[in-house]
mmCIF file of all heavy atoms in Angstrom:
data_model
loop_
_atom_site.group_PDB
_atom_site.id
_atom_site.type_symbol
_atom_site.label_atom_id
_atom_site.label_comp_id
_atom_site.label_asym_id
_atom_site.label_seq_id
_atom_site.Cartn_x
_atom_site.Cartn_y
_atom_site.Cartn_z
ATOM 1 N N LEU A 320 14.999 1.809 -12.559
ATOM 2 C CA LEU A 320 16.253 1.510 -11.893
ATOM 3 C C LEU A 320 17.401 2.173 -12.684
ATOM 4 O O LEU A 320 18.467 2.379 -12.129
ATOM 5 C CB LEU A 320 16.478 -0.002 -11.840
ATOM 6 C CG LEU A 320 15.920 -0.739 -10.655
ATOM 7 C CD1 LEU A 320 16.329 -2.185 -10.752
ATOM 8 C CD2 LEU A 320 16.373 -0.134 -9.377
ATOM 9 N N THR A 321 17.197 2.397 -14.006
ATOM 10 C CA THR A 321 18.362 2.685 -14.833
ATOM 11 C C THR A 321 19.020 4.011 -14.499
ATOM 12 O O THR A 321 20.251 4.118 -14.533
ATOM 13 C CB THR A 321 17.944 2.660 -16.337
ATOM 14 O OG1 THR A 321 16.742 3.418 -16.478
ATOM 15 C CG2 THR A 321 17.735 1.225 -16.781
ATOM 16 N N LEU A 322 18.238 5.027 -14.231
ATOM 17 C CA LEU A 322 18.852 6.366 -13.969
ATOM 18 C C LEU A 322 19.699 6.357 -12.722
ATOM 19 O O LEU A 322 20.873 6.729 -12.796
ATOM 20 C CB LEU A 322 17.784 7.445 -13.902
ATOM 21 C CG LEU A 322 18.368 8.866 -13.650
ATOM 22 C CD1 LEU A 322 19.239 9.254 -14.856
ATOM 23 C CD2 LEU A 322 17.241 9.891 -13.406
ATOM 24 N N PRO A 323 19.133 5.944 -11.527
ATOM 25 C CA PRO A 323 20.040 5.898 -10.359
ATOM 26 C C PRO A 323 21.197 4.965 -10.573
ATOM 27 O O PRO A 323 22.318 5.236 -10.123
ATOM 28 C CB PRO A 323 19.052 5.348 -9.227
ATOM 29 C CG PRO A 323 17.880 4.850 -9.878
ATOM 30 C CD PRO A 323 17.767 5.608 -11.166
ATOM 31 N N LEU A 324 20.981 3.834 -11.320
ATOM 32 C CA LEU A 324 22.080 2.929 -11.556
ATOM 33 C C LEU A 324 23.188 3.597 -12.378
ATOM 34 O O LEU A 324 24.365 3.471 -12.099
ATOM 35 C CB LEU A 324 21.572 1.724 -12.300
ATOM 36 C CG LEU A 324 22.540 0.601 -12.507
ATOM 37 C CD1 LEU A 324 23.075 0.096 -11.150
ATOM 38 C CD2 LEU A 324 21.961 -0.551 -13.293
ATOM 39 N N ALA A 325 22.769 4.309 -13.466
ATOM 40 C CA ALA A 325 23.714 4.983 -14.319
ATOM 41 C C ALA A 325 24.559 6.024 -13.491
ATOM 42 O O ALA A 325 25.793 6.058 -13.563
ATOM 43 C CB ALA A 325 23.019 5.693 -15.479
ATOM 44 N N ILE A 326 23.839 6.810 -12.711
ATOM 45 C CA ILE A 326 24.479 7.892 -11.933
ATOM 46 C C ILE A 326 25.516 7.277 -10.905
ATOM 47 O O ILE A 326 26.688 7.592 -10.887
ATOM 48 C CB ILE A 326 23.522 8.717 -11.165
ATOM 49 C CG1 ILE A 326 22.637 9.485 -12.179
ATOM 50 C CG2 ILE A 326 24.201 9.735 -10.272
ATOM 51 C CD1 ILE A 326 21.424 10.178 -11.587
ATOM 52 N N THR A 327 25.038 6.253 -10.137
ATOM 53 C CA THR A 327 25.893 5.746 -9.077
ATOM 54 C C THR A 327 27.059 4.916 -9.650
ATOM 55 O O THR A 327 28.149 4.977 -9.154
ATOM 56 C CB THR A 327 25.083 4.871 -8.087
ATOM 57 O OG1 THR A 327 24.318 3.897 -8.854
ATOM 58 C CG2 THR A 327 24.171 5.678 -7.235
ATOM 59 N N THR A 328 26.759 4.226 -10.732
ATOM 60 C CA THR A 328 27.855 3.385 -11.341
ATOM 61 C C THR A 328 28.984 4.299 -11.867
ATOM 62 O O THR A 328 30.153 4.122 -11.678
ATOM 63 C CB THR A 328 27.320 2.534 -12.461
ATOM 64 O OG1 THR A 328 26.272 1.741 -11.976
ATOM 65 C CG2 THR A 328 28.386 1.564 -12.940
ATOM 66 N N THR A 329 28.535 5.417 -12.563
ATOM 67 C CA THR A 329 29.539 6.370 -13.066
ATOM 68 C C THR A 329 30.362 6.949 -11.918
ATOM 69 O O THR A 329 31.600 7.054 -11.975
ATOM 70 C CB THR A 329 28.832 7.504 -13.821
ATOM 71 O OG1 THR A 329 27.846 6.939 -14.713
ATOM 72 C CG2 THR A 329 29.823 8.342 -14.601
ATOM 73 N N ALA A 330 29.625 7.296 -10.841
ATOM 74 C CA ALA A 330 30.304 7.927 -9.715
ATOM 75 C C ALA A 330 31.276 6.860 -9.045
ATOM 76 O O ALA A 330 32.361 7.186 -8.634
ATOM 77 C CB ALA A 330 29.290 8.356 -8.647
ATOM 78 N N THR A 331 30.809 5.609 -8.980
ATOM 79 C CA THR A 331 31.638 4.592 -8.314
ATOM 80 C C THR A 331 32.900 4.365 -9.118
ATOM 81 O O THR A 331 33.977 4.054 -8.565
ATOM 82 C CB THR A 331 30.850 3.274 -8.262
ATOM 83 O OG1 THR A 331 29.632 3.526 -7.540
ATOM 84 C CG2 THR A 331 31.588 2.182 -7.556
#
Side-chain angles (χ1 to χ4, degrees):
L320 275 184
T321 47
L322 181 66
L324 185 62
I326 295 169
T327 50
T328 307
T329 313
T331 303

